[in-house]
Amino acid sequence: FQQPYQPLSWPFGHRAHEDYLDCGGTKQSPVNVDAAQAIFSPDLRPIQLSGYSLPANKLLKLKNNGHTVVLELPESLALTGGYAQQYRAVQLHLHWGSPSGPGSEHTVNGRRFAAEIHVVHYNTKYDSFTEAMVHPDGLAVLGAFLEVGHGENQYYHEIIKHLPEIQEVGQETLVPGFNIAGLLPANLKFYFHYNGSLTTPPCYQTVKWTIFNQTMLLSHRQVCQGNELLAGSLPASPCNWYRCPVPVICSSCGSQRRDGC
Ligand code: SG7
Ligand code: ZN
């Protein structure tokens, strides 16, 4: 892994290295995953998710924080397996692209993907996320890449259909529960793991990262709707999903070009 690697989506106005000492740390995320340099570890187990399927009468808060969309998760979601510690979920969020390019924070072999989902967990040995985030073994984030593929993704639809309600920074809405595990790949066995950090200030160097090998496929329209949310809070040129420039989104598909890209 090549570190440090400049994140794309730090909050505007932050001079990260000056305002947050941890942002200059040796374990700063995201990184470029150089697959040829990854080492197989027999100690890493498949990731196991339990309690991720939420009933529709469980309402979840979805918020536009100015640079991403955050879905708060109940504490019943448990992450085990992987690196043999117990974690519970606190929130998930998406790093979208913009009309001018793809938005994933991590890259694989130098390739950036259309977007990236992060499901943030904290170690159950701590009482809260806030307490856990300052400890070296405090946090675990599951990351997966989003790409343009065939057809609508029904799980992402459960979030994306609410984006028009939170176009303004700071706005929030309620989303009925659904199977959160559907936002992550079916294959939880193949992943890249490294010790890194929060990708934005305060950049605590306390995150065990899992980057899944299998990507998530969304429709072109769904990716553009996500990009448009961010565009609304950026000075960049606006992009409506129906006129989002196709060649830009497709450039994120690289050599694995699919129909629809
Ligand atoms: C996103 O990424 C948000 C932040 C998060 C940050 O901007 O999800 O969280 C909230 C509640 O706004 O910051 C402290 C924290 O979780 C960094 O998280 S990340 O490393 O997974 N990208
Ligand atoms: Zn993130």
Side-chain angles (χ1 to χ4, degrees), residues 2-78:
Q2 296 156 16
Q3 291 173 308
Y5 194 80
Q6 181 62 45
L8 283 182
S9 53
W10 281 349
F12 293 97
H14 279 313
R15 294 161 300 146
H17 291 267
E18 296 154 47
D19 294 351
Y20 298 91
L21 290 179
D22 283 316
C23 294
T26 53
K27 295 196 286 183
Q28 183 58 46
S29 296
V31 297
N32 173 50
V33 176
D34 184 343
Q37 284 186 32
I39 298 163
F40 174 73
S41 168
D43 297 332
L44 295 173
R45 313 313 312 164
I47 296 291
Q48 284 178 2
L49 309 175
S50 51
Y52 279 60
S53 189
L54 300 172
N57 62 6
K58 177 82 195 167
L59 298 179
L60 311 172
K61 196 189 284 181
L62 185 72
K63 185 170 181 178
N64 177 348
N65 76 358
H67 50 109
T68 185
V69 49
V70 180
L71 184 69
E72 291 183 7
L73 296 171
E75 300 223 322
S76 54
L77 283 65

Side-chain angles (χ1 to χ4, degrees), residues 1-259:
F1 302 115
Q2 296 156 16
Q3 291 173 308
Y5 194 80
Q6 181 62 45
L8 283 182
S9 53
W10 281 349
F12 293 97
H14 279 313
R15 294 161 300 146
H17 291 267
E18 296 154 47
D19 294 351
Y20 298 91
L21 290 179
D22 283 316
C23 294
T26 53
K27 295 196 286 183
Q28 183 58 46
S29 296
V31 297
N32 173 50
V33 176
D34 184 343
Q37 284 186 32
I39 298 163
F40 174 73
S41 168
D43 297 332
L44 295 173
R45 313 313 312 164
I47 296 291
Q48 284 178 2
L49 309 175
S50 51
Y52 279 60
S53 189
L54 300 172
N57 62 6
K58 177 82 195 167
L59 298 179
L60 311 172
K61 196 189 284 181
L62 185 72
K63 185 170 181 178
N64 177 348
N65 76 358
H67 50 109
T68 185
V69 49
V70 180
L71 184 69
E72 291 183 7
L73 296 171
E75 300 223 322
S76 54
L77 283 65
L79 162 62
T80 54
Y83 8 85
Q85 301 237 23
Q86 299 259 356
Y87 298 88
R88 62 170 63 96
V90 51
Q91 52 106 331
L92 65 81
H93 59 269
L94 290 142
H95 297 276
W96 296 105
S98 74
S100 57
S104 79
E105 292 198 315
H106 288 87
T107 54
V108 178
N109 300 332
R111 177 180 166 212
R112 198 175 295 284
F113 294 78
E116 185 171 338
I117 183 173
H118 290 158
V119 190
V120 182
H121 304 72
Y122 70 93
N123 198 323
T124 53
K125 74 196 242 191
Y126 302 110
D127 288 337
S128 68
F129 172 76
T130 319
E131 187 197 332
M133 74 194 289
V134 298
H135 293 278
D137 60 351
L139 305 181
V141 181
L142 301 180
F145 298 114
L146 277 51
E147 291 188 273
V148 174
H150 279 303
E152 289 238 313
N153 183 306
Q154 55 161 318
Y155 299 101
Y156 280 86
H157 179 65
E158 295 302 320
I159 292 177
I160 291 169
K161 70 180 173 193
H162 294 283
L163 295 185
E165 300 156 32
I166 53 166
Q167 285 299 309
E168 304 294 326
V169 176
Q171 278 186 324
E172 51 189 57
T173 188
L174 291 173
V175 173
F178 60 99
N179 185 10
I180 303 295
L183 300 171
L184 291 171
N187 188 329
L188 301 176
K189 291 182 189 167
F190 294 117
Y191 57 82
F192 296 103
H193 170 66
Y194 76 99
N195 293 323
S197 75
L198 292 173
T199 61
T200 67
C203 297
Y204 293 133
Q205 316 275 300
T206 59
V207 180
K208 292 196 178 297
W209 277 97
T210 298
I211 304 293
F212 290 110
N213 187 59
Q214 188 183 355
T215 62
M216 303 306 298
L217 299 180
L218 279 68
S219 71
H220 175 259
R221 174 181 153 156
Q222 285 181 308
V223 169
C224 285
Q225 283 175 306
N227 289 349
E228 190 191 26
L229 173 89
L230 195 60
S233 56
L234 288 175
S237 58
C239 165
N240 295 324
W241 61 265
Y242 52 86
R243 58 184 176 83
C244 194
V246 176
V248 170
I249 297 298
C250 290
S251 67
S252 70
C253 299
S255 57
Q256 291 176 33
R257 191 167 266 272
R258 291 167 217 256
D259 286 342

